[in-house]
Structure formats: structure tokens, C-alpha cells
Amino acid sequence: MPSKAIIEKLKKIQTPFYFYDIELLKKTAQTAINEAEKFGYTIHYALKANSNHKILKILSAAGFGADCVSANEIVRATECGFNPKHIAYAGVGKTDKEINTALDSGIFTFNCESLPEIENINSIAAKKSKIADIAIRINPNVDAHTHEYVTTGLEENKFGISEWQFNEVVEKIKSLDSVKLISLHFHIGSQITDMKVFETLCARVNEIQKIFETLGIKLPHLNVGGGLGIDYKNPDANSIIDFKSYFEIFNKNLNLYDGQKLHFELGRSIVAQCGSLITQVTYVKNGRQKNFVITDGGMNDLIRPALYRAYHKIKNLTSSKPEKIYDIVGPICESSDCFAKNEMINETQRGDILAICSAGAYGEVMASQYNLRELPKAYYSDEI
Ligand SMILES: Cc1ncc(COP(=O)(O)O)c(C=O)c1O
């Protein structure tokens, strides 16, 4: 819960808007970096979670590399202080224009998702007389046990290269002069809360490294992606996720070669808890079956509940009355424009200010102007 002084300041700002707790962001970033450094691991922050300039500047200063999924993200990361040599670039559909930009920027790796993509990067690099460092993104066929829309490591998903293709891909890469294989890459999904999934991933990565050894390949880097989930139900109690236990799983279960560097691509776990969507109650509508709280923020501002039926804790910042049960909904003419069903919050009236918590990841970046609504602005705890 923000302090009384902060709530007084938030009340004066035009809603809806994103509010970022910068102290929490810095603390989270430092904890993640410190825990990773204990094992010599590198974290590339996944810009897709939040590519807000101020947040990126804080994270580049804290020592993160970057994980990008578009050329525009590469440009943004570089503008905000990330060293291009620490940028990994993923995505199933990199266009020629994007590959050109990435080559000109001098990034760390292209995480390649198919044979045609590798051939295309090779021919674009050849025209520039460059050699592109690449990783093969492996589809390890490991179930992340998370929402189907953010599961990426099953063979039915569009991502990566499967085991039956390894031989052909390795032979092809050996025949190409303008790409150099330096890493394998894995990313099996997002909002993973069952830590056993990461143990399973490690076991599978060990198997796959062995298969590559039989093909004569031992690589200097390994990238196990992101996916570490956060506690949406109890954001105050668990505002910083247990990075220590997470990295220990990899240290205990992964067989790295001597000198092989391990890379991560964490997004959500770094930025989710520091952000809230602040919205004002326009009306309270009492029905026979349900009481609705109608807010001025909508699914265009924060789409996760509509897209994934994601849960976000909601707090009424301006009421201390006893709690009541409401459906908390936005103003847009879609029944999916609903932030929470049967949520218990302090009794609410028109004009109250609500905080939709844990919205720092996949929130502001996914906002749209649907219904010609304005994009939400961002405010920061150290500037208001
Ligand atoms: C390739 C890749 N790496 C990293 C991430 C970041 O994942 P998360 O925010 O769950 O840590 C994603 C997100 O889905 C991704 O697609």
C-alpha cells in the first residue's frame, strides 16, 4: 500500500495512469543482479515486459544486458544505455530490415528459430562482410505448466527448433560462412511458479547439450531464457521474488562446460511488482446478482485480465470502510473489459481511487488506443 503522502499526490493526477515505485524497482534489480553474480550468471532484461525509458535507464545502470524481440527494442535498449554487445535478439519472424539493424548495432546473439531464418541471416551478413553470432533456439518439448498463451516450449508451439531437426541444422550451419554458432537458447514460457519446471528444463538442457556434443558441438554460451513467475495474489508480502532459490536450481541441476557462460532473460520478475495502474471509480452500479465498480481505466490500459484472465490484486486507496464484493470493470463495450470478478475491496463509492497491483510487466507496453482512448501516462515515486 502506498504511504498516505503518496496517495494524496496520486489523487491530484488525471487517471488512469501507471505509477512506478522506483525504490522497489531498484531493490528488485539489485537483488536479482547480486544473486546472479554469485554464480557468474548474466541477466538480459526482457524489454517486452516494460520498455519505458526511465525504467530501462535504471536497469541498464544496474548492470543488466538486454533481451529484445524487435529492431525497435534494440534501438530503444541502446538509447537507454544497454551495451549492444549484451543484447540478445529473439523472435520467430525477424524481417530483413530488422536483421540489418541488429547487425549494424553489433549485438551479442541472434536467437534463431528456424533454418530459413539462419540462412537469411547468413546471406544478409555476407553482403555486409560480417559474421553474425547466433544461438539456436531449441524447442525442448517441456511443459511450463502456465497459461497456454504464454507456453512456448512445446512442439505444438511456433517457437524454436526441435530435436529431430538438430542434425540438419548443425550440418547447414557448418556450411555457412557468415554465421557463427555460439550458444543454445531456451525459453519455455512465462509466469512459471512451479519451480520443478525449471529443474525439468535443466535436465532437458543437459540431455540436449549431450546430443550436440555427439554432433561435434560444444558452445561457449548457454541461454535459458526467462519465465520466473511472481506472486499476483500477495504482492505486498512477496514484492521481490526469491531469486536466490531460482538461480540455485540452475547451479545445482545444470551441467555447464568449463568456462561456459550462462545467460537468463528475465522480464516480469524484475518489473511487475513495482507498477500499478491507478484508476478512478466513475460509478458504482448495484445489481440484483452483482455489484459493479466501473472504473475510468479499461482493457486498453491493462489487457492482461481480458487476454489471459490474469488475476491482479486491486486495492481501494481512498476507502477504509468494511470490505464488500464487487466485479471491477472498465468502461469499454466488451464483456472481457473486466479487471476482477468477485473481488473483495473496501466499500467503494464514485470518485474513489483504485490501484490495480503488479501491473509493471506486460501492462504499459500492451496498452492501446482502442475506442480512441488516450494512452495511459506514467508517473514515478521519485518524481511526483
Ligand atoms: C524469448 C523470451 N525471452 C524472455 C522472455 C521474458 O519472460 P518473462 O517476462 O516471463 O521473464 C520472453 C517472454 O515471453 C520471451 O519470449
Side-chain angles (χ1 to χ4, degrees):
M1 196 79 167
S3 68
K4 276 202 170 128
I6 293 273
I7 293 173
E8 283 313 307
K9 288 180 182 168
L10 296 180
K11 277 160 74 176
K12 296 193 181 112
I13 302 172
Q14 178 66 51
T15 51
F17 60 89
Y18 277 89
F19 175 66
Y20 294 105
D21 178 342
I22 295 301
E23 201 186 319
L24 178 58
L25 173 67
K26 287 183 176 168
K27 224 170 129 189
T28 309
Q30 210 47 62
T31 309
I33 290 280
N34 291 348
E35 294 300 335
E37 268 177 3
K38 284 184 189 162
F39 302 110
Y41 299 160
T42 301
I43 312 175
H44 302 256
Y45 165 67
L47 263 80
K48 58 159 64 164
N50 191 318
S51 49
N52 171 311
H53 283 93
K54 173 154 175 150
I55 288 180
L56 292 186
K57 283 180 188 159
I58 289 169
L59 295 179
S60 64
F64 288 85
D67 165 45
C68 298
V69 288
S70 70
N72 285 350
E73 282 194 354
I74 294 174
V75 171
R76 173 74 61 91
T78 314
E79 276 167 13
C80 291
F82 290 92
N83 184 340
K85 288 193 197 116
H86 298 144
I87 295 180
Y89 176 26
V92 289
K94 301 175 189 80
T95 63
D96 293 8
K97 189 167 172 240
E98 290 185 305
I99 292 166
N100 269 296
T101 305
L103 281 169
D104 293 343
S105 308
I107 61 166
F108 164 56
T109 48
F110 290 83
N111 294 341
C112 298
E113 310 240 5
S114 66
L115 202 44
E117 184 199 334
I118 294 171
E119 288 171 321
N120 192 34
I121 292 173
N122 182 71
S123 69
I124 296 174
K127 279 189 209 131
K128 292 177 176 286
S129 305
K130 288 191 173 179
I131 294 180
D133 285 340
I134 63 166
I136 301 176
R137 177 168 182 176
I138 308 284
N139 185 324
N141 206 19
V142 169
D143 192 345
H145 296 292
T146 183
H147 191 284
E148 62 169 317
Y149 290 1
V150 292
T151 293
T152 55
L154 291 175
E155 193 154 343
E156 69 198 62
N157 304 129
K158 66 181 172 182
F159 302 96
I161 290 171
S162 298
E163 189 174 334
W164 60 269
Q165 297 168 294
F166 289 172
N167 213 345
E168 186 191 357
V169 170
V170 166
E171 285 312 309
K172 187 76 206 180
I173 290 172
K174 282 182 185 163
S175 75
L176 300 173
D177 291 332
S178 301
V179 289
K180 184 175 169 210
L181 181 61
I182 62 161
S183 179
L184 299 180
H185 172 241
F186 299 80
H187 173 76
I188 57 170
S190 196
Q191 184 51 17
I192 298 169
T193 50
D194 176 359
M195 291 298 120
K196 288 213 173 61
V197 167
F198 293 115
E199 289 175 19
T200 310
L201 172 65
C202 288
R204 188 74 180 117
V205 174
N206 292 339
E207 274 172 24
I208 289 171
Q209 290 231 95
K210 280 252 171 286
I211 298 172
F212 274 84
E213 266 182 61
T214 64
L215 300 173
I217 306 278
K218 264 179 126 178
L219 299 167
H221 299 276
L222 189 61
N223 182 340
V224 287
L228 177 61
I230 59 131
D231 191 344
Y232 281 97
K233 291 247 146 98
N234 305 293
D236 292 337
N238 290 313
S239 58
I240 301 180
I241 204 72
D242 185 1
F243 290 107
K244 184 172 185 286
S245 305
Y246 172 69
F247 291 120
E248 276 171 359
I249 288 174
F250 291 89
N251 179 54
K252 193 166 152 219
N253 295 285
L254 208 55
N255 303 329
L256 294 178
Y257 305 128
D258 269 356
Q260 191 177 32
K261 293 251 173 256
L262 187 60
H263 301 255
F264 293 80
E265 299 173 342
L266 296 176
R268 186 190 311 268
S269 52
I270 309 296
V271 291
Q273 297 292 24
C274 76
S276 309
L277 180 69
I278 307 295
T279 179
Q280 187 168 33
V281 175
T282 313
Y283 301 107
V284 177
K285 177 174 156 180
N286 294 322
R288 281 211 295 210
Q289 290 183 17
K290 294 243 177 202
N291 294 324
F292 295 97
V293 166
I294 302 168
T295 60
D296 61 1
M299 64 193 280
N300 71 299
D301 301 302
L302 175 66
I303 201 173
R304 296 192 68 258
L307 189 59
Y308 312 120
R309 295 185 183 233
Y311 176 83
H312 286 260
K313 190 167 186 59
I314 300 178
K315 295 176 187 166
N316 187 330
L317 302 182
T318 48
S319 165
S320 50
K321 292 185 189 150
E323 289 185 327
K324 275 185 73 171
I325 295 178
Y326 300 97
D327 277 13
I328 299 166
V329 301
I332 292 170
C333 186
E334 308 254 351
S335 291
S336 57
D337 185 25
C338 173
F339 290 122
K341 281 192 189 298
N342 302 317
E343 180 78 349
M344 289 263 274
I345 59 170
N346 298 102
E347 187 174 341
T348 297
Q349 61 185 29
R350 174 175 158 79
D352 279 351
I353 304 291
L354 308 186
I356 304 180
C357 305
S358 318
Y362 308 104
E364 192 186 347
V365 272
M366 283 188 164
S368 77
Q369 289 200 287
Y370 186 40
N371 285 197
L372 282 185
R373 288 164 55 82
E374 280 174 29
L375 283 175
K377 293 201 171 78
Y379 296 88
Y380 311 92
S381 56
D382 62 343
E383 286 181 16
I384 61 168

PDB file of all heavy atoms in Angstrom, residues 46 48 67 90 137 185 187 189-191 226-228 265-268 362, ligand 1:
ATOM      1  N   ALA A  46      14.337  -8.600 -20.281  1.00  0.00           N
ATOM      2  CA  ALA A  46      13.454  -8.734 -21.456  1.00  0.00           C
ATOM      3  C   ALA A  46      12.608  -7.466 -21.620  1.00  0.00           C
ATOM      4  O   ALA A  46      11.639  -7.242 -20.887  1.00  0.00           O
ATOM      5  CB  ALA A  46      12.556  -9.957 -21.292  1.00  0.00           C
ATOM      6  N   LYS A  48      10.402  -6.638 -23.598  1.00  0.00           N
ATOM      7  CA  LYS A  48       8.979  -6.781 -23.910  1.00  0.00           C
ATOM      8  C   LYS A  48       8.114  -6.593 -22.665  1.00  0.00           C
ATOM      9  O   LYS A  48       6.964  -6.214 -22.777  1.00  0.00           O
ATOM     10  CB  LYS A  48       8.708  -8.131 -24.564  1.00  0.00           C
ATOM     11  CG  LYS A  48       9.115  -9.323 -23.735  1.00  0.00           C
ATOM     12  CD  LYS A  48       8.403 -10.586 -24.136  1.00  0.00           C
ATOM     13  CE  LYS A  48       8.748 -11.002 -25.548  1.00  0.00           C
ATOM     14  NZ  LYS A  48       8.355 -12.409 -25.798  1.00  0.00           N
ATOM     15  N   ASP A  67      17.323  -8.256 -23.569  1.00  0.00           N
ATOM     16  CA  ASP A  67      16.746  -9.261 -24.462  1.00  0.00           C
ATOM     17  C   ASP A  67      15.683  -8.546 -25.279  1.00  0.00           C
ATOM     18  O   ASP A  67      14.734  -7.987 -24.704  1.00  0.00           O
ATOM     19  CB  ASP A  67      16.134 -10.391 -23.618  1.00  0.00           C
ATOM     20  CG  ASP A  67      15.211 -11.269 -24.444  1.00  0.00           C
ATOM     21  OD1 ASP A  67      15.590 -11.630 -25.566  1.00  0.00           O
ATOM     22  OD2 ASP A  67      14.105 -11.590 -23.961  1.00  0.00           O
ATOM     23  N   ALA A  90      15.640 -12.188 -30.057  1.00  0.00           N
ATOM     24  CA  ALA A  90      14.813 -13.372 -30.339  1.00  0.00           C
ATOM     25  C   ALA A  90      13.620 -12.993 -31.202  1.00  0.00           C
ATOM     26  O   ALA A  90      13.358 -11.808 -31.442  1.00  0.00           O
ATOM     27  CB  ALA A  90      14.321 -13.984 -29.026  1.00  0.00           C
ATOM     28  N   ARG A 137      17.640 -21.392 -31.065  1.00  0.00           N
ATOM     29  CA  ARG A 137      16.580 -21.503 -30.062  1.00  0.00           C
ATOM     30  C   ARG A 137      15.993 -22.903 -30.162  1.00  0.00           C
ATOM     31  O   ARG A 137      15.453 -23.293 -31.199  1.00  0.00           O
ATOM     32  CB  ARG A 137      15.483 -20.463 -30.276  1.00  0.00           C
ATOM     33  CG  ARG A 137      14.360 -20.681 -29.254  1.00  0.00           C
ATOM     34  CD  ARG A 137      13.386 -19.559 -29.192  1.00  0.00           C
ATOM     35  NE  ARG A 137      12.373 -19.821 -28.175  1.00  0.00           N
ATOM     36  CZ  ARG A 137      11.426 -18.967 -27.856  1.00  0.00           C
ATOM     37  NH1 ARG A 137      11.372 -17.797 -28.453  1.00  0.00           N
ATOM     38  NH2 ARG A 137      10.540 -19.265 -26.947  1.00  0.00           N
ATOM     39  N   HIS A 185      19.745 -21.669 -27.029  1.00  0.00           N
ATOM     40  CA  HIS A 185      18.800 -20.796 -26.331  1.00  0.00           C
ATOM     41  C   HIS A 185      17.512 -21.551 -26.043  1.00  0.00           C
ATOM     42  O   HIS A 185      17.029 -22.321 -26.901  1.00  0.00           O
ATOM     43  CB  HIS A 185      18.515 -19.564 -27.206  1.00  0.00           C
ATOM     44  CG  HIS A 185      17.413 -18.688 -26.685  1.00  0.00           C
ATOM     45  ND1 HIS A 185      16.267 -18.437 -27.394  1.00  0.00           N
ATOM     46  CD2 HIS A 185      17.280 -18.017 -25.523  1.00  0.00           C
ATOM     47  CE1 HIS A 185      15.480 -17.634 -26.687  1.00  0.00           C
ATOM     48  NE2 HIS A 185      16.066 -17.365 -25.551  1.00  0.00           N
ATOM     49  N   HIS A 187      13.568 -20.929 -24.087  1.00  0.00           N
ATOM     50  CA  HIS A 187      12.625 -20.119 -23.289  1.00  0.00           C
ATOM     51  C   HIS A 187      11.285 -20.839 -23.373  1.00  0.00           C
ATOM     52  O   HIS A 187      10.669 -20.873 -24.432  1.00  0.00           O
ATOM     53  CB  HIS A 187      12.507 -18.684 -23.822  1.00  0.00           C
ATOM     54  CG  HIS A 187      11.427 -17.914 -23.126  1.00  0.00           C
ATOM     55  ND1 HIS A 187      11.585 -17.408 -21.844  1.00  0.00           N
ATOM     56  CD2 HIS A 187      10.159 -17.630 -23.484  1.00  0.00           C
ATOM     57  CE1 HIS A 187      10.455 -16.831 -21.471  1.00  0.00           C
ATOM     58  NE2 HIS A 187       9.578 -16.950 -22.437  1.00  0.00           N
ATOM     59  N   GLY A 189       8.407 -20.461 -21.477  1.00  0.00           N
ATOM     60  CA  GLY A 189       7.127 -19.845 -21.136  1.00  0.00           C
ATOM     61  C   GLY A 189       7.301 -18.800 -20.053  1.00  0.00           C
ATOM     62  O   GLY A 189       8.408 -18.550 -19.580  1.00  0.00           O
ATOM     63  N   SER A 190       6.183 -18.196 -19.689  1.00  0.00           N
ATOM     64  CA  SER A 190       6.214 -17.073 -18.758  1.00  0.00           C
ATOM     65  C   SER A 190       5.291 -17.341 -17.569  1.00  0.00           C
ATOM     66  O   SER A 190       4.416 -18.199 -17.645  1.00  0.00           O
ATOM     67  CB  SER A 190       5.762 -15.820 -19.515  1.00  0.00           C
ATOM     68  OG  SER A 190       6.107 -14.666 -18.809  1.00  0.00           O
ATOM     69  N   GLN A 191       5.496 -16.579 -16.485  1.00  0.00           N
ATOM     70  CA  GLN A 191       4.711 -16.734 -15.248  1.00  0.00           C
ATOM     71  C   GLN A 191       4.733 -18.195 -14.778  1.00  0.00           C
ATOM     72  O   GLN A 191       3.704 -18.809 -14.487  1.00  0.00           O
ATOM     73  CB  GLN A 191       3.279 -16.183 -15.444  1.00  0.00           C
ATOM     74  CG  GLN A 191       2.373 -16.182 -14.206  1.00  0.00           C
ATOM     75  CD  GLN A 191       2.994 -15.533 -12.963  1.00  0.00           C
ATOM     76  OE1 GLN A 191       3.972 -14.790 -13.049  1.00  0.00           O
ATOM     77  NE2 GLN A 191       2.459 -15.796 -11.802  1.00  0.00           N
ATOM     78  N   GLY A 226      13.723 -16.708 -19.821  1.00  0.00           N
ATOM     79  CA  GLY A 226      13.140 -16.108 -18.614  1.00  0.00           C
ATOM     80  C   GLY A 226      12.025 -16.978 -18.092  1.00  0.00           C
ATOM     81  O   GLY A 226      12.122 -18.197 -18.135  1.00  0.00           O
ATOM     82  N   GLY A 227      10.959 -16.334 -17.613  1.00  0.00           N
ATOM     83  CA  GLY A 227       9.776 -17.096 -17.230  1.00  0.00           C
ATOM     84  C   GLY A 227       9.473 -17.149 -15.756  1.00  0.00           C
ATOM     85  O   GLY A 227       8.410 -17.634 -15.370  1.00  0.00           O
ATOM     86  N   LEU A 228      10.399 -16.666 -14.921  1.00  0.00           N
ATOM     87  CA  LEU A 228      10.167 -16.749 -13.472  1.00  0.00           C
ATOM     88  C   LEU A 228       8.901 -15.968 -13.105  1.00  0.00           C
ATOM     89  O   LEU A 228       8.788 -14.780 -13.400  1.00  0.00           O
ATOM     90  CB  LEU A 228      11.395 -16.196 -12.736  1.00  0.00           C
ATOM     91  CG  LEU A 228      11.311 -16.124 -11.213  1.00  0.00           C
ATOM     92  CD1 LEU A 228      11.105 -17.506 -10.592  1.00  0.00           C
ATOM     93  CD2 LEU A 228      12.575 -15.486 -10.636  1.00  0.00           C
ATOM     94  N   GLU A 265      17.009 -14.461 -19.363  1.00  0.00           N
ATOM     95  CA  GLU A 265      16.260 -13.345 -19.977  1.00  0.00           C
ATOM     96  C   GLU A 265      15.018 -13.071 -19.131  1.00  0.00           C
ATOM     97  O   GLU A 265      13.913 -13.441 -19.521  1.00  0.00           O
ATOM     98  CB  GLU A 265      15.809 -13.726 -21.391  1.00  0.00           C
ATOM     99  CG  GLU A 265      16.932 -14.038 -22.330  1.00  0.00           C
ATOM    100  CD  GLU A 265      16.466 -14.584 -23.671  1.00  0.00           C
ATOM    101  OE1 GLU A 265      15.306 -15.038 -23.761  1.00  0.00           O
ATOM    102  OE2 GLU A 265      17.251 -14.576 -24.615  1.00  0.00           O
ATOM    103  N   LEU A 266      15.197 -12.455 -17.984  1.00  0.00           N
ATOM    104  CA  LEU A 266      14.057 -12.234 -17.084  1.00  0.00           C
ATOM    105  C   LEU A 266      13.366 -10.906 -17.402  1.00  0.00           C
ATOM    106  O   LEU A 266      14.030  -9.890 -17.628  1.00  0.00           O
ATOM    107  CB  LEU A 266      14.535 -12.236 -15.632  1.00  0.00           C
ATOM    108  CG  LEU A 266      15.121 -13.565 -15.143  1.00  0.00           C
ATOM    109  CD1 LEU A 266      15.657 -13.418 -13.729  1.00  0.00           C
ATOM    110  CD2 LEU A 266      14.075 -14.676 -15.206  1.00  0.00           C
ATOM    111  N   GLY A 267      12.060 -10.920 -17.418  1.00  0.00           N
ATOM    112  CA  GLY A 267      11.282  -9.698 -17.649  1.00  0.00           C
ATOM    113  C   GLY A 267      10.366  -9.433 -16.468  1.00  0.00           C
ATOM    114  O   GLY A 267      10.641  -8.598 -15.596  1.00  0.00           O
ATOM    115  N   ARG A 268       9.284 -10.196 -16.424  1.00  0.00           N
ATOM    116  CA  ARG A 268       8.236 -10.000 -15.429  1.00  0.00           C
ATOM    117  C   ARG A 268       8.767  -9.902 -13.988  1.00  0.00           C
ATOM    118  O   ARG A 268       8.371  -9.004 -13.237  1.00  0.00           O
ATOM    119  CB  ARG A 268       7.267 -11.185 -15.513  1.00  0.00           C
ATOM    120  CG  ARG A 268       6.045 -11.068 -14.649  1.00  0.00           C
ATOM    121  CD  ARG A 268       5.304 -12.406 -14.625  1.00  0.00           C
ATOM    122  NE  ARG A 268       5.099 -12.944 -15.937  1.00  0.00           N
ATOM    123  CZ  ARG A 268       4.016 -12.735 -16.696  1.00  0.00           C
ATOM    124  NH1 ARG A 268       3.025 -12.011 -16.222  1.00  0.00           N
ATOM    125  NH2 ARG A 268       3.916 -13.266 -17.898  1.00  0.00           N
ATOM    126  N   TYR A 362       4.129  -6.258 -18.793  1.00  0.00           N
ATOM    127  CA  TYR A 362       3.086  -6.531 -19.788  1.00  0.00           C
ATOM    128  C   TYR A 362       1.840  -5.690 -19.505  1.00  0.00           C
ATOM    129  O   TYR A 362       0.711  -6.152 -19.688  1.00  0.00           O
ATOM    130  CB  TYR A 362       2.780  -8.043 -19.844  1.00  0.00           C
ATOM    131  CG  TYR A 362       4.041  -8.860 -20.041  1.00  0.00           C
ATOM    132  CD1 TYR A 362       4.628  -9.577 -18.994  1.00  0.00           C
ATOM    133  CD2 TYR A 362       4.678  -8.874 -21.270  1.00  0.00           C
ATOM    134  CE1 TYR A 362       5.809 -10.285 -19.177  1.00  0.00           C
ATOM    135  CE2 TYR A 362       5.864  -9.582 -21.454  1.00  0.00           C
ATOM    136  CZ  TYR A 362       6.416 -10.280 -20.404  1.00  0.00           C
ATOM    137  OH  TYR A 362       7.607 -10.979 -20.589  1.00  0.00           O
TER     138      TYR A 362
HETATM  139  C1  LIG B   1      12.340 -15.213 -25.761  1.00  0.00           C
HETATM  140  C2  LIG B   1      11.851 -14.640 -24.488  1.00  0.00           C
HETATM  141  N1  LIG B   1      12.744 -14.390 -23.505  1.00  0.00           N
HETATM  142  C3  LIG B   1      12.356 -13.855 -22.324  1.00  0.00           C
HETATM  143  C4  LIG B   1      11.033 -13.558 -22.067  1.00  0.00           C
HETATM  144  C5  LIG B   1      10.667 -12.942 -20.738  1.00  0.00           C
HETATM  145  O1  LIG B   1       9.863 -13.767 -19.987  1.00  0.00           O
HETATM  146  P1  LIG B   1       9.406 -13.355 -18.517  1.00  0.00           P
HETATM  147  O2  LIG B   1       8.856 -11.981 -18.573  1.00  0.00           O
HETATM  148  O3  LIG B   1       8.385 -14.358 -18.175  1.00  0.00           O
HETATM  149  O4  LIG B   1      10.619 -13.465 -17.628  1.00  0.00           O
HETATM  150  C6  LIG B   1      10.071 -13.820 -23.040  1.00  0.00           C
HETATM  151  C7  LIG B   1       8.660 -13.565 -22.755  1.00  0.00           C
HETATM  152  O5  LIG B   1       7.768 -14.275 -23.067  1.00  0.00           O
HETATM  153  C8  LIG B   1      10.489 -14.361 -24.294  1.00  0.00           C
HETATM  154  O6  LIG B   1       9.617 -14.605 -25.271  1.00  0.00           O
END
